[in-house]
Amino acid sequence: MSSKSVIEHEVVANHDALRFGLHAVKGDVVGSHPLQSLRESTGRAWEEKKRMGLDLTYGTAFNLRRDLDAQILSRFQRPPGALPSSMLGFEALTGGLDDFAFEDYLNLPQDSETFKPLDMHHGMEVRLGISKGPVCPSFI
């Protein structure tokens, strides 16, 4: 138990309050909603069934090729800045273009009146591992 408190203390000690705001313990303590965990587990089960069907239909090389393509396309991104990475190739490969969720048309941070673009230099430092900071979708 003492090692856990030491790790938590180190995480809080490395948190830059002026740059990232105050550290909140509530996010660490509160777990996910039961329906959220059910949705995630159902999604994983469907992905596994789909993978098994493709394996039986096209052979094992097809799934290996899809995995390699997914790894390559998930790493292809724009540098941090004004335009976020769209990851269009990765979404086309994984079928993400077919899903139209509320994130696609509501609550976009760029549409907010209080949107402040993040520092491009800090984004590159986080991406290269030089600096620590919150993980922002436009950076990684």
Side-chain angles (χ1 to χ4, degrees), residues 47-113:
E47 285 295 320
E48 191 62 35
K49 286 181 184 180
K50 184 177 178 182
R51 188 173 179 81
M52 181 62 92
L54 290 173
D55 190 20
L56 293 173
T57 305
Y58 299 111
T60 57
F62 184 76
N63 279 332
L64 292 174
R65 168 100 190 244
R66 286 188 73 215
D67 290 342
L68 288 174
D69 289 345
Q71 287 178 6
I72 291 169
L73 290 173
S74 68
R75 293 181 184 165
F76 180 75
Q77 295 175 346
R78 287 187 178 122
L83 296 173
S85 246
S86 64
M87 308 286 288
L88 183 65
F90 183 69
E91 288 181 0
L93 181 70
T94 59
L97 294 176
D98 299 334
D99 298 330
F100 191 74
F102 73 93
E103 294 94 2
D104 294 329
Y105 63 95
L106 289 178
N107 202 17
L108 292 173
Q110 296 88 355
D111 295 340
S112 174
E113 294 177 1

Side-chain angles (χ1 to χ4, degrees), residues 9-57:
H9 177 65
E10 289 175 1
V11 170
V12 174
N14 292 334
H15 184 76
D16 187 4
L18 293 176
R19 189 180 275 183
F20 309 119
L22 297 175
H23 178 72
V25 180
K26 182 181 179 184
D28 299 336
V29 175
V30 176
S32 63
H33 193 272
L35 288 178
Q36 181 181 4
S37 62
L38 179 66
R39 181 176 184 228
E40 290 170 0
S41 65
T42 305
R44 282 184 297 226
W46 276 108
E47 285 295 320
E48 191 62 35
K49 286 181 184 180
K50 184 177 178 182
R51 188 173 179 81
M52 181 62 92
L54 290 173
D55 190 20
L56 293 173
T57 305

